Amino acid sequence: MSTIEKVQGDVLVEEQVGINNEIVLYNDDVNTFDHVIETLIRVCNHTSEQAEQCAILVHYKGKCTVKTGSFDELKPQCTQLLEAGLSAEII
């Protein structure tokens, strides 16, 4: 006769707190593609390709996450996007 041993262990799950925030950029009928692209390059340090792709997504999907990170890191960037006339929020 054989026995089967079952082992039940605890699993430690670590979560990175505070980096789950993102800046979401929303579509509007005011800003040009060029203005959005230039602003994303300047404020969010996007490459021209990244900024163009985000602008296209915003135009066709209505919104796009343009940056992720901690709230403290994103707050000044979101403020700069808003000051440039773009519609954005941190979620």
Side-chain angles (χ1 to χ4, degrees):
M1 182 178 203
S2 65
T3 60
I4 299 174
E5 183 177 340
K6 292 184 179 181
V7 178
Q8 181 177 359
D10 292 330
V11 177
L12 177 63
V13 177
E14 292 185 28
E15 292 183 14
Q16 294 181 337
V17 178
I19 64 164
N20 298 337
N21 300 71
E22 52 191 46
I23 297 175
V24 177
L25 183 65
Y26 295 97
N27 191 31
D28 62 41
D29 294 329
V30 179
N31 293 292
T32 65
F33 274 92
D34 287 339
H35 177 66
V36 173
I37 291 167
E38 290 167 6
T39 304
L40 289 174
I41 291 170
R42 178 176 51 82
V43 173
C44 297
N45 298 318
H46 283 197
T47 64
S48 58
E49 291 83 10
Q50 285 175 307
E52 184 177 344
Q53 289 173 352
C54 286
I56 290 169
L57 285 171
V58 167
H59 180 73
Y60 287 106
K61 298 288 186 178
K63 65 181 180 177
C64 176
T65 297
V66 295
K67 197 76 171 177
T68 59
S70 70
F71 182 84
D72 291 338
E73 177 183 284
L74 299 179
K75 180 67 176 159
Q77 292 176 320
C78 188
T79 299
Q80 289 178 12
L81 293 173
L82 294 171
E83 288 173 350
L86 303 183
S87 299
E89 72 174 338
I90 298 174
I91 59 169

